Every structure is written in structure tokens, then in C-alpha cells.
Amino acid sequence: MRMKSLKLLPLLLAGALFFVSCEKDEVSNLSQEEAQQVIQNTEQNLVSETQNIASTDGYMIMSEMGQMLPQEFYFNDPGMKSTSVFNVKESLKNVEKKLSLENPELDFEFDHFILDNFNYLVGTWEYTPNGWEHTNTPSDKVIVKYPHPMDNATNNVVVTFYDYSEQENGSEVFINSIKVKVEYNGNEVLTFSYNGTLEGGISFGSTGDSFNFKLSTEVTLTFGQYEVYSYKMINATSSTQMNFAKELTVKKAGSRIYAQIADMSVAFNENQTADIAINAKQIVYDLEFRMTVQGNSEELDSNQDPNQFIQMSLYKTNGDKVGDFIFVAEGNDWVVYFKFTNGQQVKAEELMPNLANELEMFFEDLMTEGSL
């Protein structure tokens, strides 16, 4: 894993909400052989689980749904108010990207579950060889029927959008809730539930933008044996500090197999700098990545040694320490190495290619995502 010209401030302000720290407990250190074995087992489980997820009816239908919906689902009613800048789609980006695992690659895209123009689309939409047919009933739901696979003789997929609510925020609309269920051959294979709250808003003016809001969103997705839960909170009600919190949990048959939990604060100083603190962890089966970041924006927005500001360690969930991650300068790059408890070092991407891919996506997301 390589990062060229690492500048930390853009990473941190770009939504570094994927991990959360925990207090240090008394732990035992795994030997290099034990560490290699637990990492190898987790790698194998990760690959196997992505294959299992990709083979479920719910995931397969969800992955194609964005291409199947009528074009009307992607265009707003000309008379409707614009969707809020706090649109829930923004809050789902992290979920989508952080679950893009490999072998095979998984991509949880929720955009097509959030209907900005729900009230314009109410009724039933049925696919026919001659195009989509729309009727105005029911008046409180949006129902879509289409075949899977496309050459199937009947519309054996039924997608129902319901329990929609929204709030007006000036000239904009914020979606408070929506639910979705997907039936395939008469069986329910997927459910989706979103709830969001917004207090305050953003004012745009010639003298600058004013932030004074608190936003929280919750998403629950179920399919087969799996449940994905996502929570995000942004508190910008103070003029001197912003606080963020995030949780993402994936369960299989009720047991957690993946999680990201994080807290972040940005305190603004009078000299136009900011003090940034992140406490985070990411859990993959019985491995737990712990991360802390602390520094001033001037320090972080530089090409200084990232080891000064970022500490990353790997533990088992029972508290045993597996090792640490460190940044090593190689030319113009900072390369992530894994350091065993006996001091031996190896490139992270060579020791744990799939887990290192998760970590790399973490940094890429931080570099490319907006802070809101």
C-alpha cells in the first residue's frame, strides 16, 4: 500500500470516521507465527464471506436494481422543491465504499432506495416488453414490478417503497424516513429502512457560508442471513467546534463479522487553524484495528512523517496484541508496513492483501470525500 505526498489535513477533514478507539487493557502479545496464522484465517474468512454475500438473492437483485428502475425515478417533478444538501445519499457514501471488498468485489449502493421524488412516483410501475406502464394506485406507496432475469416470463420481482416522510427546510426538502422491501418469486429477500433527523441548516451568502445544524441518519439493510446497520451524526451547532460520530456493523445470523465505529472532533482556533482528534476502530471477524489521530491542522497539512500523528495497531477482539502499522518512507511515497510484536516488519499489502485493501480504501476515501 503506497500513498504519494501524504497530506494529512485533507484526509482528516474528508470524513475520517471509519474507526474508533478503545481504552488500552492489559494484553498478551502474539508471536509472529501466531499473528501470521490469525491474519491468514481472517483473510480467508473475508474472501469466503464476500462470495457468500454476492450469491444471495437479495444482494444480486439489489446490485441490478439501479439499472432496472424506470427513468422517471431519476428525474424530479418540475414542481417539487429541491432536495436538501443534507440528502441522505451523502450519508450513505461511506457505507457504499467501505463495503467494496474484493474476491469478488461487493458494492452496496443505496441511492436507488432513496426516492427524492417519492410523491411524484406513487402508484404501481410494471415492466412490459413495450416499456413501463404506470397506474396511480396505491396512493401511499411506490411499487415496481420487473422480471429477474430479464428473459423471465413474468415480473417476479416486486419492490415496494413505503412509510415515506420528509420535512421542509426553507426552499429545500430533507427526507426523514423511507422503507423498502424486495420480494422475489413471492419471497421477501431484502428490506431497507432509513431514518434521519435534521435540526438547523446551512446558509449561503455573499459574505460566506454559515453552518448551524445537527444531522443524524440511521440505515438498516437485511438480506438472507445478513444485516447491515449504519449510523452517522454530524453536530455543527457550535461556531468553535464540529463533532462527528459513525457506526457501521455487519452481522451474519446475529453475530458481528465487520464493524467500523468512530468519533472525531475539529476545534477551530482564532488563528484559522484547527485541532483535530480522531479515535477509531475497525473490526473484521476477531481482528480489531485501532487508530488514533491527533494534531493541529498546520502540522497535519504537510508532508511530515505521518507516524507523528497517526497510531495504528492490530489486536484480537479478546485483547491480545497482534502488531502495529507504521509508515516507512520509500522515495516520495509513504508505505504502510506491519510490525510484529518481536520487531520484524513486512509490507502490509504482502502480509494481508485483502485487509490491506480495506485500509487503503480507508485512506482513499479520506482523500476524496467531502467533509459533509
Side-chain angles (χ1 to χ4, degrees):
M1 173 181 163
R2 291 176 181 267
M3 291 181 291
K4 296 184 178 179
S5 273
L6 179 67
K7 288 195 175 184
L8 296 179
L9 181 61
L11 303 185
L12 301 175
L13 294 181
L17 305 175
F18 302 113
F19 299 78
V20 86
S21 68
C22 27
E23 297 178 359
K24 289 187 177 180
D25 301 318
E26 292 297 325
V27 298
S28 60
N29 294 334
L30 296 187
S31 67
Q32 183 170 344
E33 292 74 19
E34 292 171 330
Q36 289 173 322
Q37 186 61 57
V38 71
I39 290 171
Q40 181 181 356
N41 291 343
T42 303
E43 284 272 309
Q44 292 173 346
N45 289 336
L46 188 60
V47 171
S48 175
E49 206 65 71
T50 58
Q51 294 171 342
N52 292 337
I53 290 174
S55 66
T56 64
D57 290 335
Y59 177 82
M60 287 190 291
I61 292 174
M62 178 180 65
S63 63
E64 74 171 15
M65 191 183 304
Q67 300 174 348
M68 291 301 303
L69 295 176
Q71 65 177 1
E72 287 84 354
F73 279 57
Y74 302 99
F75 298 96
N76 288 338
D77 175 1
M80 72 181 293
K81 293 189 175 183
S82 62
T83 304
S84 170
V85 292
F86 300 105
N87 190 296
V88 63
K89 294 178 183 178
E90 295 299 316
S91 72
L92 298 175
K93 284 184 178 179
N94 292 337
V95 180
E96 295 170 14
K97 294 182 179 179
K98 287 307 295 178
L99 289 179
S100 296
L101 309 178
E102 293 186 339
N103 301 305
E105 182 176 85
L106 298 183
D107 193 2
F108 286 75
E109 294 184 356
F110 298 144
D111 281 10
H112 41 272
F113 289 144
I114 309 299
L115 299 184
D116 302 340
N117 50 355
F118 179 93
N119 294 321
Y120 172 65
L121 295 170
V122 291
T124 301
W125 300 76
E126 292 206 45
Y127 178 83
T128 74
N130 297 320
W132 289 92
E133 294 183 354
H134 177 242
T135 56
N136 292 325
T137 55
S139 60
D140 60 345
K141 296 181 178 69
V142 177
I143 299 175
V144 183
K145 300 179 180 181
Y146 63 86
H148 175 80
M150 279 301 296
D151 58 359
N152 195 69
T154 61
N155 289 335
N156 56 342
V157 173
V158 180
V159 184
T160 304
F161 302 80
Y162 63 104
D163 282 0
Y164 174 86
S165 66
E166 63 184 36
Q167 72 182 70
E168 292 190 3
N169 184 26
S171 61
E172 298 176 329
V173 170
F174 176 76
I175 301 173
N176 291 119
S177 65
I178 192 169
K179 293 181 180 178
V180 182
K181 67 176 180 178
V182 178
E183 296 166 286
Y184 176 52
N185 290 330
N187 300 311
E188 186 174 275
V189 295
L190 182 145
T191 66
F192 174 87
S193 175
Y194 160 79
N195 288 283
T197 60
L198 172 64
E199 302 172 14
I202 295 180
S203 298
F204 301 96
S206 58
T207 59
D209 302 336
S210 174
F211 292 78
N212 183 12
F213 70 93
K214 183 176 181 180
L215 166 72
S216 64
T217 61
E218 282 187 293
V219 168
T220 302
L221 174 76
T222 64
F223 59 100
Q225 301 182 72
Y226 299 96
E227 177 184 288
V228 179
Y229 172 79
S230 174
Y231 168 80
K232 180 176 181 180
M233 185 278 296
I234 304 173
N235 187 338
T237 57
S238 169
S239 61
T240 60
Q241 181 167 313
M242 293 183 70
N243 295 301
F244 305 81
K246 180 183 175 75
E247 176 184 348
L248 169 65
T249 303
V250 181
K251 293 182 179 180
K252 179 181 181 181
S255 298
R256 183 185 63 191
I257 60 174
Y258 188 93
Q260 303 166 346
I261 312 168
D263 291 305
M264 175 180 177
S265 67
V266 180
F268 304 105
N269 302 317
E270 292 183 357
N271 62 355
Q272 304 301 311
T273 66
D275 296 322
I276 299 169
I278 300 174
N279 295 302
K281 71 181 175 185
Q282 181 181 41
I283 299 171
V284 183
Y285 297 98
D286 60 350
L287 282 183
E288 183 174 305
F289 298 86
R290 302 180 185 179
M291 178 182 182
T292 61
V293 180
Q294 187 135 12
N296 182 269
S297 56
E298 284 191 345
E299 298 172 325
L300 299 174
D301 191 17
S302 70
N303 289 323
Q304 297 184 48
D305 181 356
N307 294 294
Q308 300 178 70
F309 313 110
I310 301 177
Q311 289 77 47
M312 295 187 297
S313 299
L314 182 61
Y315 289 80
K316 293 187 66 178
T317 51
N318 66 2
D320 293 341
K321 186 168 185 177
V322 183
D324 297 300
F325 293 92
I326 59 173
F327 296 91
V328 177
E330 294 186 358
N332 294 324
D333 300 338
W334 288 102
V335 180
V336 178
Y337 275 71
F338 184 76
K339 182 179 179 181
F340 294 97
T341 57
N342 64 3
Q344 294 294 313
Q345 299 177 16
V346 62
K347 288 183 179 180
E349 63 184 359
E350 295 178 359
L351 176 66
M352 50 183 86
N354 289 285
L355 294 174
N357 180 63
E358 281 288 283
L359 186 60
E360 183 174 10
M361 288 193 296
F362 161 65
F363 282 107
E364 288 179 352
D365 286 342
L366 298 182
M367 295 173 68
T368 57
E369 288 290 343
S371 58
L372 294 178

